Coordinates of all heavy atoms in Angstrom, one line a residue:
M30 N -106.7 -76.8 38.8 CA -106.4 -75.7 37.8 C -107.6 -74.7 37.8 O -108.8 -75.2 37.6 CB -106.2 -76.3 36.5 CG -105.4 -75.4 35.6 SD -105.0 -76.3 34.0 CE -106.3 -75.8 33.0
S31 N -107.4 -73.5 38.1 CA -108.5 -72.6 38.1 C -108.8 -72.0 36.7 O -107.9 -71.9 35.8 CB -108.3 -71.4 39.0 OG -107.1 -70.7 38.6
N32 N -110.0 -71.7 36.4 CA -110.4 -71.1 35.1 C -109.8 -69.7 35.0 O -109.7 -69.0 36.0 CB -111.9 -71.1 35.0 CG -112.5 -72.4 34.9 OD1 -111.9 -73.3 34.3 ND2 -113.7 -72.6 35.4
P33 N -109.5 -69.3 33.8 CA -109.0 -68.0 33.5 C -110.1 -67.0 33.8 O -111.2 -67.2 33.6 CB -108.6 -68.0 32.1 CG -109.3 -69.1 31.4 CD -109.5 -70.1 32.5
T34 N -109.7 -65.8 34.3 CA -110.6 -64.7 34.5 C -110.3 -63.5 33.6 O -109.1 -63.4 33.1 CB -110.7 -64.2 35.9 OG1 -109.4 -63.7 36.3 CG2 -111.1 -65.3 36.9
V35 N -111.2 -62.7 33.3 CA -111.0 -61.5 32.6 C -111.6 -60.3 33.3 O -112.5 -60.4 34.1 CB -111.7 -61.5 31.2 CG1 -111.1 -62.6 30.3 CG2 -113.2 -61.7 31.3
T36 N -111.0 -59.1 33.1 CA -111.6 -57.9 33.5 C -112.6 -57.5 32.4 O -112.1 -57.1 31.4 CB -110.6 -56.8 33.9 OG1 -109.7 -57.3 34.8 CG2 -111.2 -55.6 34.4
C37 N -113.8 -57.5 32.7 CA -114.9 -57.4 31.7 C -115.1 -55.9 31.4 O -115.4 -55.1 32.3 CB -116.1 -58.1 32.2 SG -117.5 -58.0 31.1
V38 N -115.1 -55.6 30.1 CA -115.4 -54.2 29.7 C -116.9 -53.9 29.7 O -117.3 -52.8 29.7 CB -114.9 -53.9 28.2 CG1 -113.4 -53.9 28.2 CG2 -115.5 -54.8 27.2
T39 N -117.7 -55.0 29.8 CA -119.2 -54.8 29.8 C -119.7 -54.5 31.2 O -120.4 -53.5 31.4 CB -119.9 -56.0 29.2 OG1 -119.2 -56.4 28.0 CG2 -121.3 -55.8 29.0
C40 N -119.4 -55.3 32.1 CA -119.9 -55.1 33.5 C -118.9 -54.5 34.4 O -119.2 -54.2 35.6 CB -120.4 -56.4 34.1 SG -119.2 -57.7 34.2
K41 N -117.6 -54.3 33.9 CA -116.5 -53.7 34.7 C -116.1 -54.5 35.9 O -115.5 -54.0 36.8 CB -116.9 -52.3 35.2 CG -117.6 -51.4 34.2 CD -116.6 -50.9 33.1 CE -117.3 -50.0 32.1 NZ -116.7 -50.0 30.8
Q42 N -116.4 -55.8 35.9 CA -116.1 -56.7 37.0 C -115.1 -57.7 36.5 O -115.0 -58.0 35.3 CB -117.3 -57.4 37.5 CG -118.5 -56.6 37.7 CD -118.7 -56.1 39.1 OE1 -118.4 -56.9 40.1 NE2 -119.2 -54.9 39.3
E43 N -114.4 -58.3 37.5 CA -113.6 -59.5 37.1 C -114.5 -60.7 37.1 O -115.3 -60.9 38.0 CB -112.5 -59.6 38.2 CG -111.6 -60.8 38.0 CD -110.2 -60.4 37.7 OE1 -110.0 -59.2 37.6 OE2 -109.3 -61.2 37.6
G44 N -114.4 -61.4 36.0 CA -115.3 -62.6 35.9 C -114.6 -63.7 35.2 O -113.5 -63.6 34.6
P45 N -115.3 -64.9 35.1 CA -114.8 -66.0 34.4 C -114.7 -65.7 32.9 O -115.6 -65.1 32.3 CB -115.7 -67.1 34.7 CG -117.0 -66.4 35.1 CD -116.6 -65.1 35.7
A46 N -113.7 -66.2 32.3 CA -113.5 -66.0 30.8 C -114.5 -66.9 30.1 O -115.0 -67.9 30.7 CB -112.1 -66.4 30.4
I47 N -114.8 -66.6 28.9 CA -115.8 -67.4 28.1 C -115.1 -68.7 27.7 O -113.9 -68.7 27.3 CB -116.1 -66.6 26.8 CG1 -116.8 -65.3 27.1 CG2 -117.0 -67.5 25.9 CD1 -116.8 -64.3 26.0
T48 N -115.8 -69.8 27.9 CA -115.2 -71.1 27.5 C -115.8 -71.7 26.3 O -115.2 -72.5 25.6 CB -115.5 -72.1 28.7 OG1 -116.8 -72.1 29.0 CG2 -114.7 -71.7 29.9
G49 N -117.0 -71.2 25.9 CA -117.6 -71.7 24.7 C -117.1 -71.1 23.4 O -116.2 -70.3 23.4
R50 N -117.7 -71.5 22.3 CA -117.3 -71.1 21.0 C -117.8 -69.6 20.8 O -118.9 -69.3 21.2 CB -117.9 -72.0 20.0 CG -117.4 -71.7 18.6 CD -118.0 -72.7 17.6 NE -118.0 -72.2 16.2 CZ -118.9 -71.5 15.7 NH1 -120.0 -71.2 16.4 NH2 -118.8 -71.0 14.5
I51 N -116.9 -68.8 20.2 CA -117.3 -67.4 19.9 C -117.5 -67.3 18.4 O -116.5 -67.3 17.7 CB -116.3 -66.4 20.4 CG1 -116.1 -66.6 22.0 CG2 -116.6 -65.0 20.0 CD1 -115.0 -65.8 22.5
P52 N -118.7 -67.1 18.0 CA -119.0 -67.1 16.5 C -118.7 -65.8 15.8 O -119.5 -65.3 15.0 CB -120.5 -67.4 16.5 CG -121.1 -66.8 17.7 CD -120.0 -66.9 18.7
F53 N -117.6 -65.2 16.1 CA -117.1 -64.0 15.4 C -115.7 -64.2 14.9 O -115.1 -65.1 15.3 CB -117.2 -62.7 16.3 CG -118.7 -62.3 16.6 CD1 -119.2 -62.6 17.8 CD2 -119.4 -61.7 15.6 CE1 -120.5 -62.3 18.1 CE2 -120.7 -61.3 15.9 CZ -121.3 -61.6 17.1
R54 N -115.3 -63.3 14.0 CA -114.0 -63.5 13.4 C -112.9 -62.6 13.9 O -113.2 -61.5 14.5 CB -114.1 -63.3 11.9 CG -115.1 -64.2 11.2 CD -115.5 -63.7 9.8 NE -116.2 -62.4 10.0 CZ -116.5 -61.6 9.0 NH1 -116.2 -61.8 7.8 NH2 -117.2 -60.4 9.3
G55 N -111.7 -63.0 13.7 CA -110.5 -62.2 13.9 C -110.4 -61.4 15.1 O -110.5 -61.9 16.2
D56 N -110.2 -60.0 14.9 CA -110.0 -59.1 16.0 C -111.1 -59.1 17.0 O -111.0 -59.0 18.2 CB -109.7 -57.7 15.5 CG -108.4 -57.6 14.8 OD1 -107.6 -58.5 14.9 OD2 -108.2 -56.6 14.2
L57 N -112.3 -59.1 16.4 CA -113.5 -59.1 17.3 C -113.6 -60.2 18.2 O -113.8 -60.1 19.4 CB -114.8 -59.0 16.4 CG -116.1 -58.9 17.1 CD1 -116.1 -57.7 18.0 CD2 -117.3 -58.8 16.1
K58 N -113.3 -61.4 17.6 CA -113.4 -62.6 18.4 C -112.3 -62.5 19.5 O -112.6 -62.9 20.7 CB -113.1 -63.8 17.5 CG -113.0 -65.1 18.3 CD -112.9 -66.3 17.3 CE -112.8 -67.6 18.0 NZ -112.8 -68.7 17.1
A59 N -111.1 -62.1 19.2 CA -110.0 -62.0 20.2 C -110.4 -61.0 21.3 O -110.1 -61.2 22.4 CB -108.7 -61.5 19.4
E60 N -111.0 -59.9 20.9 CA -111.4 -58.9 21.8 C -112.4 -59.4 22.8 O -112.3 -59.2 24.0 CB -111.9 -57.6 21.2 CG -112.2 -56.5 22.2 CD -112.6 -55.2 21.5 OE1 -112.7 -55.1 20.3 OE2 -112.7 -54.2 22.3
I61 N -113.4 -60.1 22.3 CA -114.5 -60.7 23.1 C -113.8 -61.7 24.1 O -114.1 -61.7 25.3 CB -115.6 -61.3 22.3 CG1 -116.3 -60.2 21.5 CG2 -116.5 -62.2 23.1 CD1 -117.3 -60.8 20.4
Q62 N -113.0 -62.5 23.5 CA -112.4 -63.6 24.4 C -111.5 -63.0 25.5 O -111.6 -63.4 26.6 CB -111.4 -64.4 23.5 CG -110.8 -65.6 24.2 CD -111.7 -66.7 24.5 OE1 -112.1 -67.4 23.6 NE2 -112.0 -67.0 25.8
G63 N -110.9 -61.9 25.2 CA -110.0 -61.3 26.1 C -110.6 -60.2 27.1 O -110.0 -59.9 28.1
S64 N -111.8 -59.8 26.8 CA -112.3 -58.7 27.6 C -113.8 -58.8 28.0 O -114.3 -57.8 28.4 CB -112.0 -57.3 27.0 OG -112.4 -57.3 25.6
V65 N -114.4 -59.9 27.8 CA -115.8 -60.0 28.1 C -115.9 -61.3 29.0 O -115.4 -62.3 28.7 CB -116.7 -60.2 26.9 CG1 -118.2 -60.4 27.3 CG2 -116.6 -58.9 26.0
C66 N -116.7 -61.2 30.1 CA -116.8 -62.3 31.0 C -118.0 -63.2 30.5 O -118.8 -62.8 29.7 CB -117.1 -61.9 32.4 SG -118.7 -61.1 32.7
A67 N -117.9 -64.5 31.0 CA -118.9 -65.5 30.6 C -120.4 -65.0 30.8 O -121.2 -65.2 30.0 CB -118.6 -66.8 31.2
P68 N -120.7 -64.5 32.0 CA -122.1 -64.0 32.2 C -122.6 -63.0 31.2 O -123.7 -63.1 30.7 CB -122.1 -63.5 33.7 CG -121.0 -64.2 34.3 CD -119.9 -64.4 33.2
C69 N -121.7 -62.0 30.9 CA -122.1 -61.0 29.9 C -122.3 -61.6 28.6 O -123.1 -61.2 27.8 CB -121.1 -59.9 29.9 SG -121.2 -58.8 31.4
W70 N -121.4 -62.6 28.3 CA -121.5 -63.3 27.0 C -122.9 -64.0 26.9 O -123.5 -64.0 25.8 CB -120.3 -64.2 26.8 CG -120.4 -65.0 25.5 CD1 -120.6 -66.3 25.4 CD2 -120.3 -64.5 24.2 NE1 -120.6 -66.7 24.1 CE2 -120.4 -65.5 23.3 CE3 -120.1 -63.2 23.7 CZ2 -120.3 -65.4 21.9 CZ3 -120.0 -63.0 22.3 CH2 -120.1 -64.1 21.4
S71 N -123.3 -64.6 28.0 CA -124.6 -65.3 28.0 C -125.7 -64.3 27.7 O -126.7 -64.6 27.0 CB -124.8 -66.0 29.4 OG -123.9 -66.9 29.6
N72 N -125.6 -63.1 28.3 CA -126.6 -62.1 28.1 C -126.7 -61.8 26.6 O -127.7 -61.6 26.0 CB -126.3 -60.8 28.8 CG -126.5 -61.0 30.3 OD1 -127.2 -61.9 30.8 ND2 -125.9 -60.1 31.1
W73 N -125.5 -61.7 26.0 CA -125.4 -61.4 24.5 C -126.1 -62.5 23.7 O -126.8 -62.2 22.8 CB -124.0 -61.1 24.1 CG -123.9 -61.2 22.6 CD1 -123.3 -62.3 21.9 CD2 -124.5 -60.4 21.6 NE1 -123.5 -62.1 20.5 CE2 -124.2 -60.9 20.3 CE3 -125.3 -59.2 21.7 CZ2 -124.7 -60.3 19.1 CZ3 -125.7 -58.6 20.5 CH2 -125.4 -59.2 19.2
M74 N -125.8 -63.7 24.1 CA -126.4 -64.8 23.3 C -127.9 -64.8 23.3 O -128.5 -65.1 22.3 CB -125.9 -66.2 23.9 CG -124.4 -66.4 23.8 SD -123.8 -66.3 22.1 CE -124.0 -68.0 21.5
A75 N -128.5 -64.4 24.5 CA -129.9 -64.2 24.5 C -130.4 -63.0 23.7 O -131.4 -63.1 22.9 CB -130.4 -64.0 26.0
Q76 N -129.6 -62.0 23.8 CA -129.9 -60.8 23.0 C -129.8 -61.0 21.5 O -130.6 -60.6 20.7 CB -129.0 -59.6 23.4 CG -129.1 -58.3 22.6 CD -130.4 -57.6 23.0 OE1 -131.1 -58.0 23.9 NE2 -130.7 -56.5 22.2
Q77 N -128.8 -61.8 21.1 CA -128.6 -62.1 19.7 C -129.8 -62.8 19.1 O -130.2 -62.5 18.0 CB -127.3 -63.0 19.6 CG -127.0 -63.4 18.2 CD -125.7 -64.2 18.2 OE1 -124.7 -63.8 17.7 NE2 -125.7 -65.4 18.6
L78 N -130.3 -63.7 19.9 CA -131.5 -64.5 19.4 C -132.7 -63.5 19.1 O -133.4 -63.6 18.1 CB -132.0 -65.5 20.5 CG -131.4 -66.9 20.4 CD1 -132.1 -67.7 21.5 CD2 -131.6 -67.5 19.0
K79 N -132.8 -62.5 20.1 CA -133.9 -61.5 19.9 C -133.7 -60.7 18.6 O -134.6 -60.4 17.9 CB -134.0 -60.6 21.1 CG -134.6 -61.2 22.3 CD -134.7 -60.2 23.4 CE -134.7 -60.8 24.8 NZ -134.4 -59.9 25.8
I80 N -132.4 -60.3 18.4 CA -132.1 -59.5 17.3 C -132.3 -60.3 16.0 O -132.9 -59.7 15.0 CB -130.6 -59.0 17.3 CG1 -130.4 -58.0 18.5 CG2 -130.2 -58.4 16.0 CD1 -128.9 -57.8 18.8
I81 N -131.9 -61.5 16.0 CA -132.1 -62.3 14.8 C -133.6 -62.5 14.4 O -134.0 -62.3 13.3 CB -131.5 -63.7 15.0 CG1 -130.0 -63.6 15.0 CG2 -132.0 -64.7 13.9 CD1 -129.2 -64.9 15.4
N82 N -134.4 -62.6 15.5 CA -135.9 -62.7 15.3 C -136.4 -61.4 14.9 O -137.2 -61.3 13.9 CB -136.6 -63.2 16.5 CG -136.3 -64.7 16.8 OD1 -136.0 -65.5 15.8 ND2 -136.3 -65.1 18.0
E83 N -136.0 -60.4 15.6 CA -136.6 -59.0 15.3 C -136.3 -58.5 13.9 O -137.2 -58.0 13.2 CB -136.0 -58.1 16.4 CG -136.7 -56.7 16.4 CD -136.2 -55.9 17.5 OE1 -135.7 -56.4 18.6 OE2 -136.3 -54.6 17.4
Y84 N -135.1 -58.7 13.5 CA -134.7 -58.2 12.2 C -134.8 -59.3 11.1 O -134.4 -59.1 10.0 CB -133.2 -57.7 12.2 CG -133.1 -56.5 13.1 CD1 -132.0 -56.4 14.0 CD2 -133.9 -55.4 13.0 CE1 -131.9 -55.3 14.8 CE2 -133.8 -54.2 13.7 CZ -132.7 -54.2 14.7 OH -132.6 -53.1 15.5
R85 N -135.3 -60.5 11.5 CA -135.4 -61.6 10.6 C -134.1 -61.8 9.8 O -134.1 -61.9 8.6 CB -136.5 -61.4 9.6 CG -137.9 -61.3 10.3 CD -138.9 -60.7 9.4 NE -140.2 -60.6 10.1 CZ -141.3 -61.2 9.8 NH1 -141.3 -62.0 8.8 NH2 -142.4 -61.1 10.5
L86 N -133.0 -61.9 10.6 CA -131.7 -62.0 9.9 C -131.6 -63.5 9.3 O -131.9 -64.4 10.0 CB -130.6 -61.8 10.9 CG -130.5 -60.4 11.5 CD1 -129.3 -60.3 12.5 CD2 -130.4 -59.3 10.4
N87 N -131.0 -63.5 8.2 CA -130.7 -64.8 7.5 C -129.2 -65.0 7.6 O -128.4 -64.3 7.0 CB -131.1 -64.7 6.1 CG -130.7 -66.0 5.3 OD1 -130.1 -66.9 5.9 ND2 -131.0 -66.1 4.1
L88 N -128.8 -65.9 8.5 CA -127.4 -66.0 8.8 C -126.6 -66.6 7.7 O -125.3 -66.7 7.8 CB -127.2 -66.8 10.1 CG -127.7 -66.2 11.4 CD1 -127.6 -67.1 12.6 CD2 -127.1 -64.8 11.6
A89 N -127.2 -66.9 6.6 CA -126.5 -67.4 5.4 C -126.0 -66.2 4.7 O -125.1 -66.3 3.8 CB -127.4 -68.2 4.5
E90 N -126.5 -65.0 5.0 CA -126.1 -63.7 4.3 C -125.0 -63.0 5.1 O -125.1 -62.8 6.3 CB -127.3 -62.8 4.1 CG -128.3 -63.4 3.1 CD -129.6 -62.6 3.0 OE1 -129.6 -61.5 3.6 OE2 -130.5 -63.0 2.4
K91 N -124.1 -62.5 4.4 CA -123.0 -61.7 5.0 C -123.5 -60.5 5.7 O -123.0 -60.2 6.8 CB -122.0 -61.3 3.9 CG -120.8 -60.6 4.3 CD -119.8 -60.5 3.2 CE -118.6 -59.7 3.6 NZ -118.8 -58.3 3.3
R92 N -124.5 -59.9 5.2 CA -125.1 -58.7 5.8 C -125.6 -59.0 7.2 O -125.5 -58.1 8.1 CB -126.3 -58.3 4.9 CG -127.0 -57.0 5.2 CD -126.4 -55.9 4.3 NE -127.1 -54.7 4.4 CZ -127.0 -53.9 5.5 NH1 -126.1 -54.2 6.4 NH2 -127.7 -52.8 5.6
A93 N -126.2 -60.1 7.4 CA -126.7 -60.5 8.7 C -125.5 -60.5 9.8 O -125.7 -60.0 10.9 CB -127.4 -61.8 8.7
H94 N -124.4 -60.9 9.3 CA -123.2 -61.0 10.2 C -122.7 -59.6 10.5 O -122.2 -59.3 11.6 CB -122.1 -61.9 9.7 CG -122.6 -63.3 9.7 ND1 -122.4 -64.2 10.7 CD2 -123.2 -64.0 8.7 CE1 -122.9 -65.3 10.4 NE2 -123.4 -65.3 9.2
E95 N -122.8 -58.7 9.5 CA -122.4 -57.3 9.7 C -123.3 -56.6 10.8 O -122.8 -55.9 11.6 CB -122.4 -56.5 8.4 CG -121.3 -57.0 7.5 CD -121.5 -56.4 6.1 OE1 -122.5 -55.7 5.8 OE2 -120.6 -56.7 5.2
V96 N -124.6 -56.9 10.7 CA -125.5 -56.3 11.7 C -125.2 -56.9 13.1 O -125.1 -56.1 14.0 CB -127.0 -56.7 11.3 CG1 -127.9 -56.3 12.5 CG2 -127.4 -56.0 10.0
L97 N -125.0 -58.2 13.2 CA -124.7 -58.8 14.5 C -123.3 -58.2 15.0 O -123.2 -58.0 16.2 CB -124.6 -60.3 14.4 CG -126.0 -61.0 14.3 CD1 -125.8 -62.5 14.2 CD2 -126.8 -60.7 15.5
E98 N -122.4 -58.0 14.2 CA -121.1 -57.5 14.6 C -121.3 -56.1 15.2 O -120.7 -55.7 16.2 CB -120.1 -57.5 13.5 CG -119.5 -58.9 13.2 CD -118.5 -58.9 12.1 OE1 -117.9 -57.8 11.8 OE2 -118.1 -60.0 11.7
A99 N -122.1 -55.3 14.5 CA -122.3 -53.9 15.0 C -123.1 -54.0 16.3 O -122.7 -53.2 17.3 CB -123.1 -53.1 14.0
Q100 N -124.0 -54.8 16.4 CA -124.8 -54.9 17.6 C -124.0 -55.5 18.8 O -124.2 -55.0 19.9 CB -126.1 -55.8 17.4 CG -127.0 -55.3 16.3 CD -128.0 -54.3 16.9 OE1 -128.2 -54.2 18.1 NE2 -128.5 -53.4 16.1
V101 N -123.2 -56.4 18.6 CA -122.4 -57.0 19.7 C -121.5 -56.0 20.2 O -121.2 -56.0 21.4 CB -121.7 -58.4 19.3 CG1 -120.5 -58.1 18.4 CG2 -121.4 -59.2 20.5
K102 N -120.9 -55.2 19.4 CA -119.9 -54.2 19.8 C -120.6 -53.2 20.8 O -120.1 -52.8 21.8 CB -119.3 -53.4 18.6 CG -118.3 -54.2 17.9 CD -117.8 -53.5 16.7 CE -116.9 -54.3 15.8 NZ -116.5 -53.6 14.6
Q103 N -121.8 -52.8 20.4 CA -122.6 -51.9 21.2 C -123.1 -52.5 22.5 O -122.9 -51.9 23.5 CB -123.8 -51.4 20.4 CG -124.2 -50.0 20.6 CD -125.1 -49.4 19.5 OE1 -125.4 -50.1 18.6 NE2 -125.4 -48.2 19.6
F104 N -123.6 -53.7 22.4 CA -124.1 -54.4 23.5 C -123.0 -54.7 24.6 O -123.3 -54.5 25.8 CB -124.8 -55.7 23.1 CG -125.5 -56.4 24.2 CD1 -126.8 -56.1 24.5 CD2 -124.9 -57.5 24.9 CE1 -127.5 -56.8 25.5 CE2 -125.6 -58.2 25.9 CZ -126.9 -57.8 26.2
L105 N -121.9 -55.1 24.1 CA -120.8 -55.4 25.1 C -119.9 -54.3 25.4 O -118.9 -54.5 26.1 CB -120.0 -56.6 24.5 CG -120.8 -58.0 24.4 CD1 -120.0 -59.0 23.7 CD2 -121.3 -58.5 25.7
H106 N -120.1 -53.1 24.8 CA -119.3 -51.9 25.0 C -117.8 -52.2 24.5 O -116.9 -51.8 25.2 CB -119.3 -51.5 26.4 CG -120.6 -51.3 27.0 ND1 -120.9 -51.2 28.3 CD2 -121.8 -51.0 26.4 CE1 -122.2 -51.0 28.6 NE2 -122.8 -50.9 27.4
L107 N -117.7 -52.8 23.4 CA -116.4 -53.1 22.8 C -115.9 -51.9 22.1 O -116.7 -51.0 21.7 CB -116.5 -54.3 21.8 CG -117.0 -55.6 22.4 CD1 -117.1 -56.6 21.3 CD2 -116.0 -56.1 23.5
S108 N -114.6 -51.8 21.8 CA -114.0 -50.7 21.0 C -114.6 -50.8 19.6 O -114.9 -51.9 19.1 CB -112.5 -50.8 21.0 OG -112.1 -52.0 20.3
G109 N -114.8 -49.7 19.0 CA -115.3 -49.7 17.6 C -116.9 -49.7 17.6 O -117.5 -49.7 16.5
A110 N -117.5 -49.6 18.8 CA -118.9 -49.5 18.8 C -119.4 -48.2 18.3 O -118.7 -47.2 18.5 CB -119.4 -49.7 20.3
A111 N -120.4 -48.2 17.5 CA -120.9 -47.0 16.9 C -121.3 -46.0 18.1 O -122.0 -46.4 19.0 CB -122.2 -47.3 16.1
D112 N -120.7 -44.8 18.0 CA -120.9 -43.9 19.1 C -122.2 -43.1 18.9 O -122.2 -41.9 18.8 CB -119.7 -43.0 19.2 CG -119.7 -42.2 20.5 OD1 -120.4 -42.6 21.4 OD2 -119.0 -41.2 20.5
V113 N -123.3 -43.8 18.9 CA -124.6 -43.2 18.8 C -125.5 -43.7 19.9 O -125.5 -44.9 20.2 CB -125.3 -43.4 17.4 CG1 -124.5 -42.7 16.3 CG2 -125.3 -44.9 17.1
D114 N -126.4 -42.9 20.4 CA -127.4 -43.4 21.3 C -128.6 -43.8 20.5 O -128.7 -43.5 19.3 CB -127.8 -42.4 22.5 CG -128.1 -41.1 21.9 OD1 -128.7 -41.0 20.8 OD2 -127.8 -40.1 22.6
D115 N -129.5 -44.5 21.1 CA -130.7 -45.1 20.4 C -131.5 -44.0 19.6 O -131.9 -44.2 18.5 CB -131.6 -45.9 21.3 CG -130.9 -47.2 21.7 OD1 -129.9 -47.6 21.0 OD2 -131.4 -47.8 22.6
A116 N -131.6 -42.9 20.3 CA -132.4 -41.8 19.7 C -131.8 -41.3 18.4 O -132.5 -40.8 17.5 CB -132.5 -40.6 20.7
A117 N -130.4 -41.5 18.3 CA -129.8 -41.0 17.1 C -129.9 -42.0 15.9 O -129.6 -41.7 14.8 CB -128.3 -40.7 17.4
V118 N -130.4 -43.2 16.2 CA -130.6 -44.1 15.1 C -132.0 -43.8 14.5 O -133.0 -44.2 15.0 CB -130.6 -45.6 15.6 CG1 -130.8 -46.6 14.5 CG2 -129.2 -45.9 16.2
G119 N -131.9 -43.1 13.4 CA -133.2 -42.6 12.9 C -133.9 -43.6 12.0 O -133.5 -44.7 11.9
P120 N -134.9 -43.2 11.4 CA -135.7 -44.0 10.5 C -134.9 -44.7 9.4 O -135.2 -45.8 9.0 CB -136.9 -43.2 10.0 CG -136.6 -41.8 10.5 CD -135.5 -41.8 11.5
D121 N -133.9 -43.9 8.9 CA -133.1 -44.5 7.8 C -132.5 -45.8 8.2 O -132.5 -46.8 7.5 CB -132.1 -43.5 7.4 CG -132.7 -42.4 6.6 OD1 -133.8 -42.5 6.2 OD2 -132.0 -41.4 6.3
K122 N -131.9 -45.7 9.4 CA -131.2 -46.9 9.9 C -132.2 -48.0 10.2 O -132.0 -49.2 9.8 CB -130.5 -46.6 11.2 CG -129.6 -47.7 11.7 CD -128.4 -48.0 10.8 CE -127.5 -49.1 11.3 NZ -126.5 -49.5 10.3
A123 N -133.3 -47.7 10.7 CA -134.3 -48.7 11.0 C -134.8 -49.3 9.7 O -135.0 -50.6 9.6 CB -135.5 -48.1 11.8
R124 N -135.0 -48.5 8.7 CA -135.5 -49.0 7.4 C -134.4 -49.9 6.8 O -134.7 -51.0 6.3 CB -135.7 -47.9 6.5 CG -136.7 -48.2 5.4 CD -137.1 -47.0 4.5 NE -137.6 -45.9 5.3 CZ -137.0 -44.7 5.3 NH1 -136.0 -44.4 4.6 NH2 -137.6 -43.7 6.0
E125 N -133.2 -49.5 6.9 CA -132.1 -50.3 6.4 C -132.1 -51.7 7.0 O -131.9 -52.7 6.4 CB -130.8 -49.6 6.7 CG -129.5 -50.1 6.1 CD -128.3 -49.4 6.6 OE1 -128.3 -48.2 6.6 OE2 -127.3 -50.1 6.9
L126 N -132.2 -51.7 8.3 CA -132.2 -53.0 9.1 C -133.5 -53.8 8.7 O -133.4 -55.0 8.5 CB -132.2 -52.7 10.6 CG -130.9 -52.2 11.1 CD1 -131.0 -51.8 12.6 CD2 -129.8 -53.2 11.0
G127 N -134.6 -53.1 8.5 CA -135.8 -53.8 8.2 C -135.8 -54.4 6.8 O -136.5 -55.3 6.5
N128 N -134.9 -53.9 5.9 CA -134.8 -54.4 4.6 C -134.0 -55.6 4.4 O -133.8 -56.1 3.3 CB -134.3 -53.3 3.6 CG -135.4 -52.3 3.3 OD1 -136.5 -52.6 3.5 ND2 -135.0 -51.1 2.8
L129 N -133.4 -56.1 5.4 CA -132.5 -57.2 5.3 C -133.3 -58.4 4.8 O -134.4 -58.7 5.1 CB -131.9 -57.6 6.7 CG -130.8 -56.7 7.1 CD1 -130.5 -56.9 8.5 CD2 -129.6 -57.0 6.2
Ligands
ZN173 ZN1 -119.1 -58.9 32.3

């Protein structure tokens, strides 16, 4: 039995589907499962750790999950990603994230 593959929206290649647990909810989880390959997901898991450390996210707080959801959409090029480039994320946004 071969593993399922997906056409990945992140790297634009056909790749193996994610087999591990996806720690997001509902539509987002379904979208990741259906359109992101396992290697890109691994990249995100590493990036997620950096984000948690950088922003000192407390995963017990709902706000932390909102930040991660926004970041994962951007990182993996999912639908609903904030259509801003990094330069457009001004000091207000940075401060907001810093205040978590
Ligand atoms: Zn990929």
Side-chain angles (χ1 to χ4, degrees):
M30 206 173 90
S31 63
N32 290 328
T34 61
V35 295
T36 302
C37 178
V38 293
T39 310
C40 62
K41 317 287 185 208
Q42 315 266 322
E43 179 111 356
I47 300 162
T48 53
R50 187 176 159 272
I51 298 173
F53 290 102
R54 296 162 298 170
D56 290 350
L57 181 57
K58 180 176 178 171
E60 185 175 4
I61 291 169
Q62 181 76 67
S64 54
V65 176
C66 71
C69 287
W70 179 247
S71 297
N72 290 342
W73 161 253
M74 294 305 271
Q76 176 72 7
Q77 180 177 251
L78 271 183
K79 286 186 205 161
I80 292 168
I81 289 169
N82 289 332
E83 191 174 335
Y84 295 131
R85 297 166 182 241
L86 297 182
N87 176 358
L88 294 178
E90 291 174 10
K91 185 163 172 274
R92 189 95 173 76
H94 293 274
E95 289 169 0
V96 171
L97 285 179
E98 284 183 12
Q100 295 279 338
V101 75
K102 285 177 190 175
Q103 213 160 6
F104 187 83
L105 296 175
H106 306 160
L107 301 174
S108 63
D112 193 15
V113 289
D114 52 35
D115 287 347
V118 178
D121 285 350
K122 186 67 181 170
R124 203 176 304 123
E125 187 186 316
L126 291 170
N128 280 344
L129 281 168

